[in-house]
Amino acid sequence: MSTDRSSAPAGTAGYDDRRRWQALGVGLVAAFMTLLDVSIVNVAVPSIDRALHATPSDLQWVLSGYALTFGLILVPAGRFGDARGRRTGFVAGLILFTLTSALAGLSTSPQWLIVARLVQGAAAGVVNPQVTGMIQQLFRGAERGRAFGLLGATIGISTAVGPLLGGLLIQLGGEQHGWRLVFFVNVPVGVLAVLLGWRLMPARPSGAPDRHRLDPFGVLLLGIGVTLVLLPLVQWQQWHGLWKWILIPAGLVFLAAFGLWERRYARTHQPLFDLRLFGLRSYTLGTLIGLLYFAGFTAIFFIYTLYLQIGLNYSALAAGLAITPFALGSAAASAVGGRVVTRYGRPLVAAGLLVVVIGLGATVWVLHGSLHGSVAVLTAVPFLVAGLGSGLVIAPNQTLALSEVPVPQAGSGAGMLQTGQRMGSAAGIAGVGALFFSTLADTRGDWATAFRHSLVLAAAIIGLALVAAVVDIVLGRRWSGAAS
């Protein structure tokens, strides 16, 4: 690792190698904590239900409200970090996240918990683009790939290991109040991360101009559009009837209006999101791959947790342990993927996607017919394989998608990339979950069949991401051939 200050990235004055990696470490802890709260609460739902006497609608908002406000704030928060400095956004978001975690743990009613979760999700949406933008700002070349590899491992582990940690905390605190520890555990970690973040995260580079105002009308258009698209997806179980789906095309109209406004606004000001980024093939196809992969990837854990805890009566801890092989595989492969992505490029992502599909196909196969043995044991090896593939997808794809994004747009570019992932997650859970419950009804409670059918759909969605990766490879080779 070179320590040549002449080759240091712009805007990193005062950052030697040690301090850059320390800043990354703080960012990864914060990212892990905020992303963990997407999945860790799933196993706490029965405990919350008993303690607060929540309705099914209340519980749905506890789960989906976090994801909704998380996705809603990503792009404006990323733009804020680009304009006013990553440290300000990171620390402010983390303080709010820590406070709302404490408030969630102290909840005495479902309404209290829902409001805390909504604000907690928004705070998480403020924090995450700052971490990605910081990596873009402080690292270059192979080092950036390593940094994104660690971030990818963090994303994969936090998503997959959430049910396990949730189960451990509930077992520790008891079925009645163990769910409170799921939120309280964020408080000491958050306080430490705030203190270290203020010291280590990069502020706005000295001499950098303030990039005018932050485009409030663009924020409004994007916020309404994202909300209208996400609401029916996160509330698909609770809102009955077909009318809810009208909100999606209405949201797309607002997103189109946002695009037109940003194009006009960019003539005289720095826009909330620079649409010219979609002129970069790496960014556009990387965003699409991320959306499709998260649609299949996140849905797997949703239906698997339901199958184990409700269908097979697994405890929260046992259900979390069953998902651990995927988390281990993802962690191991993410570190490797981050190191070699600059050498292999998009073919590495395509190979990872193929391995995920093979692992999921093997899972369906081992669960077909009469089961001889524990489901958790039967799925351990296939899920380990799928996890290994996942580790070669998330971090490398993020590295490649952001590789050509200029540092001044790093936060907003990362925010849009992560917004696509959140939309994909919501759409995947809605679509795969709908098939799961409809199959369950058609088969009169055959949980195994419902899980297998839903897993096939999740694998097919990930297969679409593989098609997008192959298209990127083919286009890249054609353009390289034409250039030579």
Side-chain angles (χ1 to χ4, degrees), residues 362-377:
T363 305
V364 174
W365 181 76
V366 299
L367 294 179
H368 187 72
S370 300
L371 298 181
H372 301 285
S374 165
V375 167
V377 173

Side-chain angles (χ1 to χ4, degrees), residues 94-119:
L94 206 49
I95 289 173
L96 186 59
F97 183 86
T98 304
L99 289 173
T100 50
S101 294
L103 290 173
L106 294 170
S107 297
T108 58
S109 69
Q111 292 73 29
W112 180 339
L113 181 57
I114 289 168
V115 172
R117 284 286 284 173
L118 289 171
V119 182

Side-chain angles (χ1 to χ4, degrees), residues 289-353:
I289 290 169
L291 186 152
L292 292 170
Y293 182 68
F294 272 77
F297 161 71
T298 312
I300 293 167
F301 303 107
F302 172 69
I303 59 173
Y304 194 40
T305 301
L306 289 174
Y307 176 37
L308 293 175
Q309 286 194 265
I310 302 177
L312 299 179
N313 295 315
Y314 276 43
S315 68
L317 178 58
L321 286 170
I323 298 172
T324 302
F326 190 103
L328 294 175
S330 180
S334 290
V336 175
R339 290 176 180 272
V340 301
V341 62
T342 53
R343 183 188 310 170
Y344 296 106
R346 189 66 73 190
L348 179 69
V349 176
L353 289 165

Side-chain angles (χ1 to χ4, degrees), residues 290-453:
L291 186 152
L292 292 170
Y293 182 68
F294 272 77
F297 161 71
T298 312
I300 293 167
F301 303 107
F302 172 69
I303 59 173
Y304 194 40
T305 301
L306 289 174
Y307 176 37
L308 293 175
Q309 286 194 265
I310 302 177
L312 299 179
N313 295 315
Y314 276 43
S315 68
L317 178 58
L321 286 170
I323 298 172
T324 302
F326 190 103
L328 294 175
S330 180
S334 290
V336 175
R339 290 176 180 272
V340 301
V341 62
T342 53
R343 183 188 310 170
Y344 296 106
R346 189 66 73 190
L348 179 69
V349 176
L353 289 165
L354 180 60
V355 172
V356 174
V357 172
I358 290 172
L360 297 181
T363 305
V364 174
W365 181 76
V366 299
L367 294 179
H368 187 72
S370 300
L371 298 181
H372 301 285
S374 165
V375 167
V377 173
L378 290 172
T379 59
V381 173
F383 268 148
L384 176 63
V385 172
L388 290 170
S390 183
L392 299 179
V393 175
I394 297 176
N397 181 65
Q398 189 151 279
T399 303
L400 295 170
L402 297 174
S403 61
E404 298 179 86
V405 175
V407 171
Q409 284 90 45
S412 57
M416 187 64 75
L417 177 67
Q418 293 177 9
T419 299
Q421 294 172 357
R422 299 276 73 81
M423 286 185 170
S425 295
I429 289 174
V432 175
L435 177 62
F436 182 86
F437 287 112
S438 64
T439 305
L440 197 61
D442 292 342
T443 58
R444 299 183 180 181
D446 188 341
W447 288 85
T449 299
F451 177 64
R452 289 199 310 272
H453 288 186

Side-chain angles (χ1 to χ4, degrees), residues 77-78 80-82 84-96 123-131 198 201-202:
F80 178 89
D82 290 337
R84 307 289 167 83
R86 318 256 179 240
R87 183 174 65 186
T88 303
F90 180 85
V91 171
L94 206 49
I95 289 173
L96 186 59
V126 173
V127 171
N128 276 271
Q130 317 311 330
V131 178
W198 183 257
M201 293 292 287

Side-chain angles (χ1 to χ4, degrees), residues 229-269:
V229 170
L230 285 179
L231 263 179
L233 295 175
V234 300
Q235 286 290 298
W236 62 275
Q237 282 185 285
Q238 302 303 322
W239 290 1
H240 303 291
L242 297 177
W243 64 269
K244 63 189 174 189
W245 302 116
I246 297 175
L247 296 179
I248 292 181
L252 294 177
V253 170
F254 273 94
L255 292 178
F258 166 74
L260 293 174
W261 168 257
E262 290 299 284
R263 189 180 297 276
R264 177 183 175 185
Y265 189 82
R267 296 173 186 169
T268 55
H269 299 87

